[in-house]
Amino acid sequence: MAAYKRGLKADQEGLAILARNTETLVRGLFAVAVALAVAAFFMDSSLLAKESALVFTLDLFFIWFFRDPERRAKGPEDVILSPADGKVVDIRDNTACIFMNIHNVHVNRAPVSGKIVKMKHKDGGYLPAFFKDSHRNERNLICIESDYGLVRIVQIAGTVTRRIDTYFNVGDRVVRGERIGMIRFGSRVDITPPNGYTLIVNKGDRVKAAISAIAIRNTTGQNDSGHYAGG
């Protein structure tokens, strides 16, 4: 298993950039902070100065929260990678449920190369995404047809989340490890590998998108659980 894991290593994370569709918010908050600072200077207002500092601090938080580090997946192409950063909170019916906490990177990545053959958005509530009955929440289904079978990914909105961004459409091809979307704030991503695959993560494991292995083909002869360093 050790040799198998060594073959699955991925590059270290590169410099973080802002996630797609978040630049406007970050730049807007910075502009507001600057405007308040200028007004505080000319009006000699301590209140405006405090408000400027508050907005600037909030902007720094969003820059950190919407970070999107460069990653490049490696390893055998038939290994299914994690689509999200977070903690495996449940495993059911050959599906791994990954909860993304506020401190996790919230950009989702393709677990395998292939063609998007189905996408379906469903409106719903906003229960905490780690609850089992969060199946009632707003969600977005993405089905990727790969050389090894159909991979199902479900992006699930959480309590605070009010938006699920998806970067591709039906008919588009994605590359393993490529960015495919983002869920704002606390949320969850469920992944179901194709038939003939075995999940190698356990409840409580921490994983990283495009880095941690989620499932392997039964033909590899690897049946024990685990995921390699970086997850």
Side-chain angles (χ1 to χ4, degrees):
M1 187 64 176
Y4 172 72
K5 290 180 180 179
R6 284 197 296 271
L8 290 176
K9 286 183 180 177
D11 289 355
Q12 294 292 325
E13 291 184 356
L15 292 175
I17 59 176
L18 283 176
R20 192 181 304 183
N21 301 326
T22 62
E23 298 89 346
T24 301
L25 173 62
V26 170
R27 291 173 180 171
L29 287 174
F30 180 75
V32 171
V34 171
L36 288 171
V38 171
F41 175 78
F42 285 105
M43 299 175 64
D44 192 22
S45 170
S46 60
L47 177 60
L48 289 177
K50 291 178 180 179
E51 290 178 347
S52 174
L54 179 62
V55 174
F56 183 70
T57 300
L58 181 63
D59 196 32
L60 289 177
F61 166 77
F62 279 122
I63 290 174
W64 168 80
F65 181 81
F66 290 130
R67 67 196 184 282
D68 182 11
E70 291 289 349
R71 295 175 183 172
R72 185 172 59 183
K74 279 192 173 182
E77 284 292 324
D78 62 345
V79 172
I80 306 298
L81 299 179
S82 175
D85 288 20
K87 181 179 179 180
V88 178
V89 293
D90 197 12
I91 294 180
R92 63 181 87 152
D93 301 325
N94 201 37
T95 296
C97 306
I98 304 167
F99 176 69
M100 296 185 293
N101 214 322
I102 193 170
H103 57 77
N104 294 125
V105 174
H106 275 58
V107 175
N108 304 145
R109 292 175 178 265
V112 67
S113 297
K115 180 180 180 180
I116 297 179
V117 294
K118 181 179 180 179
M119 288 182 62
K120 184 177 181 181
H121 182 271
K122 177 183 176 182
D123 292 331
Y126 297 96
L127 292 170
F130 53 82
F131 281 7
K132 289 189 176 182
D133 56 355
S134 59
H135 64 275
R136 303 173 183 173
N137 283 20
E138 178 183 353
R139 63 190 51 230
N140 187 55
L141 168 68
I142 304 174
C143 294
I144 302 176
E145 185 64 56
S146 72
D147 291 339
Y148 314 102
L150 188 71
V151 179
R152 289 169 51 92
I153 305 164
V154 182
Q155 300 169 297
I156 304 173
T159 308
V160 181
T161 308
R162 291 297 184 272
R163 182 175 178 182
I164 300 176
D165 289 335
T166 305
Y167 302 160
F168 291 91
N169 297 303
V170 173
D172 291 339
R173 299 196 66 85
V174 293
V175 177
R176 187 167 172 263
E178 185 176 12
R179 300 171 178 88
I180 60 173
M182 177 181 182
I183 315 175
R184 308 286 177 106
F185 301 98
S187 44
R188 200 179 89 197
V189 176
D190 293 353
I191 176 169
T192 306
N195 293 330
Y197 271 76
T198 299
L199 291 171
I200 58 169
V201 290
N202 299 309
K203 185 176 179 179
D205 286 351
R206 297 190 180 278
V207 295
K208 283 190 175 183
I211 294 179
S212 301
I214 288 289
I216 57 175
R217 295 173 72 188
N218 296 339
T219 53
T220 62
Q222 302 290 342
N223 294 317
D224 53 330
S225 297
H227 58 284
Y228 56 91

